[in-house]
Amino acid sequence: MSDFNAAAFRQHFPFFTEQPEWIYLDNAATTHKPAAVLDAVGLFYRQQNSNVHRGTHLLSETATNLYEDARTCVQKYLNAAESAEIIFTSGTTAALNQIAYGLMHSVLKAGDRVVISALEHHANIVSWQLHCQRFGVILDVIPLQGDAASGYQLDLNAYNKLLSLNPKVVSLTQVSNALGCILPLENMLLAAKACGAITVVDGAQGIAWQVPDMQTLAADFYCFSAHKLYGPTGLGVLYGKREWLEKLTPLLGGGEMIEHVSFARSRFNQLPARLEAGTPSIAAALGLAAAIRFISTFDAEQIKSYKRLLLKTFHDGIQHIPGINLLSAQQNNAGIVTLNVQGEHPADLALLLNEQRIAVRAGQHCAMPLFELLAVPGAVRFAFAPYNQLTEVEQCLNALTQAVEILAL
Ligand code: PMP
């Protein structure tokens, strides 16, 4: 059993008291927000609203201090060396695009190689592809091995072979958003660093499972979205080691990111402003800081073991439902179950569950190349968060049993 008090945790989330009919299992898409986050965002707009870094008035000074405090809060959470290594973006997608654009325009040359994995979200595929052809950079993909029963994993022998080609960049997800599997990042990143590669981690799904320690994880860059960590949408974090952030060519030009502008040329500002053109999502940054303070009051290991319990209960129940094809495995899983009902379209199952107010996602989960490898057109994803209750898992299993029966008619 788990020591984690899921019922008490859930009470922090107004959504569940205001929308009690919902069983929300779409947490890999976005999580709900605790009252502390809603309050921080509301307070900003009610009492502190002002732009940052530009006003001479007290309101702007207060907003700037709050915004910079939020940056420091993220710095401490990730154990980054300094707050200037935390860049606020609009999300993981924006952060990965900034890294890919920035490296392509500065460090990478024709013939260089970038390694990604078969488990990547489109954000960590397309952001590189956008530039590969133009710059003559080669994108290599670590293939999958294993099967659904034992769990798909990356083929580490193939990875080592790709590393022997001396890639300039290795960019990997921490956790697969489609299958839930946790990558053996520590060793993979160390191996990449041993070959001199720049290392990038897409932490969009991983951040809510395992907070990285930037002093021990061999990552030069790490990105995540606030909205998957109980924070607001519209805000992401791009962490980078100073030496690499300074090498990134800015993707966005505009106010704030410059030190001097003339019509002939511009000189860029210092970090972090250099990579934050325009007015940032100030309220969302305060919301993320509130989310981090909130989640930090709970024991991360207890949350993990509670999520494992939710997964196990769901998996055990599925064994009794005929005709379910599981794509995800129970072991080494951060809380995501992906499955299909034999011979049925995933959207049909998701719609039947929606009729019972169970929110899941159906489709290819922004991982089309992975689904092509798995040779299935899509799947239904059940993604658990610590506010989900064991009773909800039981209700979901019952709804799934009924849906399978209806689909078989
Ligand atoms: N990477 C992964 C692994 C994801 O799951 C997601 C969100 N589905 C993203 C990147 C993109 O995140 P966002 O849409 O918040 O930019």
Side-chain angles (χ1 to χ4, degrees):
M1 275 305 282
S2 164
D3 294 329
F4 177 69
N5 188 339
F9 184 83
R10 184 180 175 92
Q11 281 184 352
H12 291 278
F13 292 78
F15 175 85
F16 297 110
T17 36
E18 293 182 23
Q19 299 287 339
E21 76 273 31
W22 277 100
I23 294 181
Y24 186 81
L25 298 177
D26 198 15
N27 294 291
T30 198
T31 55
H32 284 289
K33 325 300 173 198
V37 170
L38 304 179
D39 290 348
V41 172
L43 182 70
F44 175 75
Y45 284 124
R46 283 198 310 272
Q47 296 183 11
Q48 302 153 337
N49 183 46
S50 188
N51 212 329
V52 292
H53 298 140
R54 45 195 89 190
T56 43
H57 53 84
L58 184 60
L59 277 176
S60 175
E61 194 184 316
T62 306
T64 303
N65 289 340
L66 290 166
Y67 182 67
E68 291 306 322
D69 284 351
R71 195 190 304 281
T72 306
C73 176
V74 177
Q75 174 212 342
K76 292 196 172 132
Y77 197 51
L78 302 183
N79 198 19
E82 49 173 321
S83 68
E85 290 185 332
I86 304 300
I87 310 296
F88 287 126
T89 67
S90 65
T92 307
T93 303
L96 288 168
N97 274 272
Q98 167 62 82
I99 295 168
Y101 178 96
L103 291 177
M104 288 278 185
H105 285 78
S106 58
V107 178
L108 300 184
K109 295 183 201 65
D112 283 346
R113 311 186 86 93
V114 172
V115 173
I116 58 171
S117 85
L119 291 168
E120 302 309 318
H121 183 280
H122 293 163
N124 196 27
I125 303 172
V126 185
S127 50
W128 300 102
Q129 275 175 346
L130 278 174
H131 311 284
C132 275
Q133 205 175 2
R134 171 161 170 230
F135 289 92
V137 170
I138 301 151
L139 193 61
D140 289 318
V141 183
I142 311 165
L144 271 191
Q145 64 177 16
D147 53 32
S150 60
Y152 291 103
Q153 307 128 26
L154 295 180
D155 179 342
L156 295 180
N157 286 330
Y159 177 52
N160 284 331
K161 281 192 193 131
L162 291 175
L163 287 183
S164 71
L165 301 174
N166 289 320
K168 278 277 159 58
V169 179
V170 171
S171 187
L172 299 170
T173 192
Q174 186 178 358
V175 166
S176 160
N177 69 307
L179 300 177
C181 46
I182 305 158
L183 273 69
L185 263 195
E186 285 80 2
N187 289 339
M188 291 184 80
L189 296 180
L190 281 176
K193 289 309 303 173
C195 298
I198 302 161
T199 48
V200 181
V201 177
D202 171 353
Q205 295 297 334
I207 188 78
W209 176 254
Q210 172 71 54
V211 185
D213 179 336
M214 290 313 169
Q215 301 314 306
T216 54
L217 189 70
D220 295 313
F221 294 105
Y222 182 91
C223 321
F224 71 94
S225 299
H227 71 95
K228 295 187 202 267
L229 189 68
Y230 319 109
T233 51
L235 188 89
V237 167
L238 159 51
Y239 158 84
K241 297 225 183 319
R242 175 178 274 278
E243 74 167 302
W244 290 111
L245 284 176
E246 279 177 346
K247 288 200 175 78
L248 291 185
T249 302
L251 171 61
L252 298 178
E256 274 307 296
M257 54 79 73
I258 41 73
E259 195 176 85
H260 183 265
V261 180
S262 73
F263 284 119
R265 66 186 58 83
S266 305
R267 206 169 48 241
F268 299 148
N269 211 334
Q270 303 292 312
L271 291 172
R274 186 175 177 278
L275 296 170
E276 286 185 10
T279 299
S281 291
I282 306 163
L286 306 195
L288 172 60
I292 288 175
R293 288 186 196 110
F294 164 77
I295 198 66
S296 301
T297 61
F298 297 90
D299 184 312
E301 286 309 311
Q302 282 186 9
I303 287 183
K304 267 189 190 172
S305 59
Y306 179 67
K307 270 193 174 179
R308 286 194 195 101
L309 176 66
L310 292 171
L311 263 187
K312 182 178 179 328
T313 311
F314 194 55
H315 268 106
D316 289 350
I318 283 172
Q319 308 308 318
H320 304 292
I321 307 176
I324 299 276
N325 288 341
L326 267 174
L327 294 178
S328 57
Q330 193 185 319
Q331 60 275 31
N332 194 39
N333 187 322
I336 292 175
V337 179
T338 331
L339 56 80
N340 275 313
V341 177
Q342 224 154 9
E344 305 295 341
H345 196 283
D348 292 338
L349 175 59
L351 285 171
L352 284 172
L353 294 176
N354 175 59
E355 280 175 17
Q356 306 217 26
R357 290 294 172 262
I358 297 176
V360 293
R361 182 171 169 193
Q364 298 186 327
H365 311 286
C366 296
M368 272 190 205
L370 172 65
F371 279 87
E372 220 164 273
L373 285 175
L374 300 176
V376 285
V380 180
R381 182 179 71 183
F382 302 75
F384 296 99
Y387 41 63
N388 290 129
Q389 307 292 299
L390 284 166
T391 48
E392 290 183 303
V393 176
E394 294 302 337
Q395 281 170 273
C396 183
L397 286 166
N398 290 338
L400 200 49
T401 308
Q402 278 176 34
V404 170
E405 284 165 7
I406 293 168
L407 288 169
L409 289 177

